[in-house]
């Protein structure tokens, strides 16, 4: 079974993806890490995020497992990831690795922005996770504070809005609900409530 979760920043898709992967004993790929790691490699090398050739080389050089999440999770890298993610050649360079992860025997859980639309259009279950921008900014501010990052709620909300606009308006694989995806609004749900709702969606799709 392939489970595809897509949605905007801090909508809760990462937590849901991890929980679903554990419940159904499936491997999980957080595809946002691929774009974050690509951006990180460019910044480390002193290259510009818009340098297509360098960005493609950085994307091609990634492994799928050896991410130093501590360096990739911060606010700056989320913003930088969204810049490199808008380059079509970078997305193309990361396509095969994501598809081969998804086609493992038994299936997989992938979360990102274009899993249900581009990476796994035939996924068994597609969930489009949304939440209000204020709720997402709150969650992200708490998460970043937990990682020791100094955060300002207003700045985090601004980041989220900028990223929503960039991710939704780019021409290459924009953030979009697949026609056959089920929407899950987590605004009023806690982690357990969102997980229960996601499991109900998986079970209902499996029964078809
Ligand atoms: O955790 P959060 O939702 O803030 O970010 P993420 O999932 O780690 O993704 C960071 C950025 O990578 C997003 O803003 C997107 O621009 C990009 N991304 C993408 O374009 N396609 C994906 N499948 C995953 C992430």
């Amino acid at each position: 079974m392939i489970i595809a979760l897509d949605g905007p920043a801090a909508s809760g898709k990462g937590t849901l993806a991890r929980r679903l992967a554990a419940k159904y004993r499936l491997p999980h790929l957080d595809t946002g890490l691929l774009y974050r790691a690509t951006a990180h490699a460019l910044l480390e090398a002193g290259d510009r995020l818009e340098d297509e050739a360098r960005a493609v080389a950085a994307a091609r050089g990634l492994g799928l497992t050896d991410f130093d999440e501590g360096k990739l999770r911060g606010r700056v890298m989320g913003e930088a990831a969204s810049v490199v993610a808008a380059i079509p050649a970078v997305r193309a360079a990361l396509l095969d690795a994501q598809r081969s992860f998804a086609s493992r025997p038994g299936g997989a859980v992938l979360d990102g922005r274009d899993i249900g639309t581009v990476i796994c259009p035939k996924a068994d279950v597609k969930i489009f996770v949304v939440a209000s921008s204020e709720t997402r900014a709150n969650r992200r501010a708490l998460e970043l504070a937990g990682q020791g990052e100094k955060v300002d709620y207003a700045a985090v909300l601004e980041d989220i809005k900028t990223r929503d606009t960039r991710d939704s308006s780019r021409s290459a694989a924009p953030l979009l609900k697949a026609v056959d995806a089920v929407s899950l609004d987590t605004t009023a749900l806690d982690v357990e409530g969102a997980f229960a709702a996601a499991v109900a969606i998986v079970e209902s799709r499996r029964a078809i």
Side-chain angles (χ1 to χ4, degrees):
M1 171 171 64
I2 297 177
I3 303 178
L5 293 121
D6 290 299
S11 53
K13 62 192 185 309
T15 306
L16 287 175
R18 277 190 298 279
R19 296 279 303 263
L20 290 172
K23 176 172 171 67
Y24 293 104
R25 297 176 192 276
L26 293 169
H28 166 224
L29 181 63
D30 172 350
T31 63
L33 285 175
L34 301 172
Y35 296 94
R36 287 172 181 261
T38 301
H40 184 257
L42 290 171
L43 295 175
E44 282 277 282
D47 294 324
R48 285 183 321 112
L49 293 170
E50 295 81 3
D51 186 327
E52 180 172 314
R54 297 280 193 175
V56 167
R60 288 212 178 108
L62 294 179
L64 281 193
T65 48
D66 47 356
F67 298 116
D68 182 347
E69 293 198 31
K71 286 191 181 141
L72 302 179
R73 286 282 172 212
R75 212 185 123 198
V76 171
M77 220 47 75
E79 174 64 20
S82 134
V83 175
V84 298
I87 305 174
V90 169
R91 307 197 70 85
L94 294 169
L95 188 74
D96 286 350
Q98 293 175 83
R99 285 210 175 132
S100 66
F101 187 95
S103 61
R104 289 169 177 216
V109 179
L110 286 85
D111 73 277
R113 300 291 188 288
D114 62 341
I115 309 303
T117 50
V118 175
I119 307 295
C120 304
K122 294 197 170 139
D124 304 280
V125 183
K126 298 181 185 179
I127 306 179
F128 194 73
V129 189
V130 295
S132 74
S133 34
E134 289 74 19
T135 301
R136 291 186 287 124
N138 255 324
R139 287 181 190 155
R140 185 47 50 91
L142 282 172
E143 189 181 311
L144 292 172
Q147 290 159 10
E149 193 165 331
K150 271 217 167 112
V151 284
D152 164 35
Y153 170 81
V156 173
L157 180 60
E158 201 50 48
D159 275 5
I160 281 192
K161 288 184 172 166
T162 308
R163 261 203 299 144
D164 283 357
T165 306
R166 191 186 293 123
D167 291 350
S168 304
S169 62
R170 70 185 176 213
S171 56
L175 170 64
L176 202 65
K177 177 180 170 296
V179 281
D180 52 348
V182 179
S183 290
L184 173 55
D185 187 337
T186 68
T187 305
L189 300 175
D190 61 10
V191 173
E192 288 308 322
F195 179 57
V199 169
I201 293 170
V202 173
E203 294 300 327
S204 72
R205 303 305 279 192
R206 282 221 295 186
I208 292 172

